[in-house]
Amino acid sequence: MSDSDGVHRRDVLKAGGAAAAFGLGGGSYLTSLTDAGDVSDMGVETFVGQDEVFFSSCAPNCRGRCPIQVHARNGRVKKIEPGVPENEAYKRACTLGLSQTQRVYNPTRLKYPMKRVDWSPDDPNVEGRGEDAAFERVSWDEALGYIAAKMEETREEYGPKSVYFESGSGDYGTASNHQARLAALFGGTQMDWSIDINVGQGFRRVSGAGWFNVATNQATDLKNANTLIAWGGDIFASRLQQDASKMLDAVENGAKLVVVDPVYTGTAAKADLWLPVKPGKDPHLALGMIHTVLDEELFEADFLRKRTLAPALVGPDGKLLRAKDVVPGSDADKPVAFNEETGEPEVLEPETFGPYALGGEYTVGGVTGRVALDFLRDEAAKHAPEDIAETVGVEAKNIRKAARWLGTRGPGGVVPGLGVDRYKYGHIFGQAYATLVALTGDYGRSGSFQGGYFNGTGISTGDYSAPEGSKGVSKIRQTKILTGMESGDPYPIKVMYAQESNFVANQLPDRQRWLNAAKNLDLIAVADMHHTPTVQHSDIILPAAHWFEKEGVTSPYTHPHVNYREKIHDPLWESKSDFWIISHLAERLGYGDRFLQTKREELKKMLEADEYVDYETLKRQGTVEKPTPVVKYTDEFDTPSGRLEIYDEDAPSEKGQTLEVPKHVESRTADDWESADDYPLMFMQKHSKWRIHSQFGYQQWLRELNPEPQLDINPVDAEERGIENGDYVRVHNDRGEMIVRAKVNEAIQPGLVNTDQGWYTSDYIRGHHNDLTHTDVSDVTGNFSFYDVRVEVEHAPAEADTSKYEEKQPTGAKATGPGVGGD
């Protein structure tokens, strides 16, 4: 093929013999057995052959980061099994990880560097991007030359920050470190997240810790919990590899499992108590539990006195009284409490117990202060379970039961998923549940849990990603990446180089807004293994190697190991490792001397900064367990006071409410929302057990089980609209629409609908689930609120073409499922 030959998107995806590489049995394999005569005469050992077994690790954006063993024969992967980490308690794998044999040899693999036929450095022709774009094959030299030249041109005209280096969550190996190093040398921009940071930021205001959810005790300590509240996460679907098994260990040991979720999930089915909270009412519910703990005096008073600001005195201005102002002779700029034994104010030092008052008003140093815990009592008093039961959709007796279990049964806690993050004001829930487990003393002890990220580890790389002498990276939130592309706020974004990411055309909210904003970019270059929607909207395509085709290291931040990946065979077709791509791009940009010649040399260099992991040991063992605390939060907290700040004197505000203590605030989930009559149904997009975001959805084994997107809708809502199970429906609002098959489902509550997220554009009859979402964010956190979405549902129009699902359902391992080709 000459470089000038036009290749349309289906040509990019031709299997080129990849189907034969799946390693599946098939008819010829069975025939060879049945025609062979007496098996005893044929030499079974010779027929079966001998596998080589390699160390590797999964590391897409899931919690497992499981070590795996890869069996290969004649240079081809045949089978995946769970690997055995140094700490065997973390030996796990899941359906997705075991299907990697299909992923590495999937027909959607990108094979060659490509250029959009109607893109040129002088005329980007942005209208040519999209579903109908055609691509032509180019050499690696040409592709990298185009990218480097456009980056340099953009740096000259707009400054280096106008070049955006995006690294998504497709693989938590070291590729993002290599890209970050180049971005720092160049002086470019990288994203700071606007996804799944709501709850963690709210928790952080109380404890000083938390961002992407919250780190907590190691998962192996779950067996020591007596009460666990799994809140807003379907652990037995989306966290199956490590977390689910450990939670079941707790249940088998007698723990009470409470599940808070608007959907009756697989996790809820395992629970002792399911609290079917209405969408967005989670802070209400948490405050109802706080009311119960305070009202029934279930709190750990000694813990509150020693490790929290509960006894701190608050002045008339809402600020904490300071020792320097009210304690004679003291110059300490620290909060004070009232000592009930001495009748005097006392400095509240971190981790220091005293007989401090936990209620009332006291005049000290001529100033009257009120005990901080009383402010929480006042707010909680508005949320008695009997008063909020109808609002939150949970019976009062069950709200109290959950709180009593947490407050009376010993160690326990809250294990939040990422569901509540996806409401606009989800950070208030983070503040609320951090306060709840403070009241019950569930910090810093075995069996107590405060977050959903069980304590793990990663490699320490020192200054690798920000090397000495580099210009440094400008990090801005994804919300600002969007406005930078649209209007130049805070500065123009003109070039995007993305790797391991399917964000722009598939995973970000208000997808059409992102695609329109991207028209202001002169170049979109994407390095990926597979033909994703984001690849389809690019100008330059770079085929990246699967991790079986390159040496690597992974960092499982939810268990205490570093994992090694052996290279099993060379990259297929013309694909290259991300390190190769980045280092060769760096060479063209003048930074080639800042990268070593081989990935192995680079890995050894990176690991030099880690005192616990050396390359040779890791390579020999496959995993190294790093010293990692089993129990978190045993020392003073990383807050200004060193204590849990259940009263926040520097609190932000939301909609006129100042959040010194948690107060319920809602967005589109409010019953009186302005468009509630037009769009009466809340729309969520929960995680699927068959995908990790948009990964794995094109693998045939999994596609047989999960062939097309569906809309979960309660029978009550379906009947009101004349919808029956299996009908195709149009889901719409003022931003967009999608057409999918309806699944009438009693597990979903009335007023709520769901389509599992991650599906490609081509999987829909029309539209896309992220054409319905929006980019309205809280000023406090800037976190995208995917679940704060309203829609209406009706029958699909008669002209909707549903034939691809009605006529071509997958029926076997070799069948071509809809969308499996990626187009």
Side-chain angles (χ1 to χ4, degrees), residues 715-730:
V716 172
D717 295 321
E719 185 177 1
E720 285 180 1
R721 292 159 177 80
I723 293 168
E724 295 185 2
N725 190 57
D727 288 350
Y728 280 94
V729 294
R730 176 177 177 258

Side-chain angles (χ1 to χ4, degrees), residues 9-10 13 106-108 531 698 760 762 816-823:
R9 57 178 178 164
R10 284 186 172 83
L13 303 172
N106 198 285
T108 65
H531 185 200
Y698 39 76
Y760 283 6
S762 56
T816 301
V820 79
D823 62 353

Side-chain angles (χ1 to χ4, degrees), residues 61 166 168-170 191 193-196 422 478 500-512 514-515 528 532-534 685-688 691-695 756-761 763-764 768-771 773-775 784-786:
N61 188 13
E166 177 177 279
S169 59
M191 69 176 179
W193 291 87
S194 296
I195 298 175
D196 295 341
R422 293 162 189 170
Q478 285 165 303
E500 305 176 323
S501 172
N502 189 20
F503 274 134
V504 170
N506 208 74
Q507 291 300 107
L508 291 173
D510 203 348
R511 191 178 71 101
Q512 295 299 329
W514 281 91
L515 292 177
D528 207 310
T532 69
T534 300
Q685 318 89 46
K686 68 187 290 290
H687 281 127
S688 167
R691 286 183 304 284
I692 298 171
H693 298 301
S694 64
Q695 297 186 71
D756 289 350
Q757 63 106 341
W759 294 99
Y760 283 6
T761 317
D763 294 319
Y764 292 95
H768 191 280
H769 64 276
N770 270 327
D771 290 344
T773 52
H774 57 79
T775 50
F784 291 135
S785 44
F786 290 88

Side-chain angles (χ1 to χ4, degrees), residues 14-22 573:
K14 283 181 179 176
F22 281 136
W573 298 286

Side-chain angles (χ1 to χ4, degrees), residues 802-816:
T802 61
S803 60
K804 67 179 178 180
Y805 290 124
E806 294 175 337
E807 298 173 3
K808 297 180 180 179
Q809 288 288 5
T811 57
K814 288 192 173 181
T816 301

Side-chain angles (χ1 to χ4, degrees), residues 15-154:
F22 281 136
L24 305 173
S28 60
Y29 177 80
L30 295 175
T31 301
S32 69
L33 283 177
T34 57
D35 291 346
D38 187 348
V39 174
S40 63
D41 295 333
M42 60 183 289
V44 173
E45 183 177 347
T46 303
F47 179 85
V48 173
Q50 183 67 44
D51 287 350
E52 290 183 86
V53 182
F54 296 84
F55 292 128
S56 194
S57 165
C58 266
N61 188 13
C62 70
R63 304 297 177 81
R65 309 291 195 274
C66 302
I68 55 177
Q69 292 182 344
V70 182
H71 293 247
R73 192 182 311 159
N74 298 324
R76 181 168 294 165
V77 175
K78 293 293 184 180
K79 183 176 70 172
I80 312 296
E81 289 186 329
V84 183
E86 193 169 8
N87 182 341
E88 293 188 22
Y90 290 101
K91 179 185 176 182
R92 288 292 181 275
C94 74
T95 309
L96 303 181
L98 299 181
S99 71
Q100 291 288 352
T101 49
Q102 288 198 325
R103 191 174 191 192
V104 68
Y105 303 126
N106 198 285
T108 65
R109 282 286 302 269
L110 299 174
K111 299 170 179 62
Y112 313 106
M114 310 288 282
K115 181 184 78 70
R116 181 161 57 87
V117 294
D118 52 0
W119 178 89
S120 73
D122 300 324
D123 181 12
N125 186 27
V126 296
E127 298 298 334
R129 293 181 188 138
E131 298 304 308
D132 296 321
F135 298 87
E136 60 187 358
R137 183 174 170 182
V138 296
S139 68
W140 271 105
D141 190 60
E142 289 175 291
L144 294 175
Y146 283 133
I147 297 169
K150 184 57 68 174
M151 285 181 172
E152 290 179 326
E153 177 186 315
T154 300

Side-chain angles (χ1 to χ4, degrees), residues 189-376:
T189 290
Q190 288 196 300
M191 69 176 179
D192 196 0
W193 291 87
S194 296
I195 298 175
D196 295 341
I197 58 173
N198 234 358
V199 170
Q201 286 191 74
F203 189 95
R204 191 179 192 86
R205 290 203 293 111
V206 176
S207 69
W211 198 256
F212 288 108
N213 208 281
V214 177
T216 188
N217 295 4
Q218 277 197 43
T220 50
D221 191 47
L222 280 167
K223 64 181 180 291
N224 298 315
N226 293 330
T227 304
L228 289 169
I229 303 178
W231 202 314
D234 189 3
I235 291 172
F236 297 129
S238 61
R239 294 160 60 179
L240 189 61
Q241 321 87 325
Q242 302 288 350
D243 305 354
S245 65
K246 307 298 189 295
M247 188 164 282
L248 287 175
D249 290 342
V251 172
E252 290 177 3
N253 283 348
K256 295 292 188 182
L257 176 60
V258 180
V259 171
V260 183
D261 203 301
V263 181
Y264 188 69
T265 62
T267 308
K270 298 289 186 183
D272 296 284
L273 184 64
W274 173 44
L275 306 184
V277 64
K278 291 182 179 179
K281 311 298 184 188
D282 304 88
H284 262 309
L285 181 57
L287 283 162
M289 292 184 187
I290 288 171
H291 170 90
T292 301
V293 171
L294 292 171
D295 181 55
E296 300 183 14
E297 297 190 353
L298 307 177
F299 52 84
E300 293 284 343
D302 288 352
F303 180 88
L304 293 178
R305 291 185 173 105
K306 181 178 180 180
R307 304 198 71 194
T308 81
L309 285 183
L313 295 178
V314 180
D317 60 355
K319 299 295 184 181
L320 298 173
L321 297 186
R322 302 284 169 177
K324 64 182 181 180
D325 299 321
V326 297
V327 177
S330 175
D331 60 357
D333 187 20
K334 294 183 177 182
V336 299
F338 185 79
N339 187 315
E340 292 185 302
E341 290 184 358
T342 65
E344 299 292 337
E346 188 172 311
V347 177
L348 273 184
E349 299 285 355
E351 302 296 309
T352 303
F353 175 80
Y356 307 130
L358 290 177
E361 290 187 346
Y362 302 91
T363 300
V364 293
V367 182
T368 299
R370 189 181 184 206
V371 171
L373 187 61
D374 281 346
F375 291 87
L376 182 62

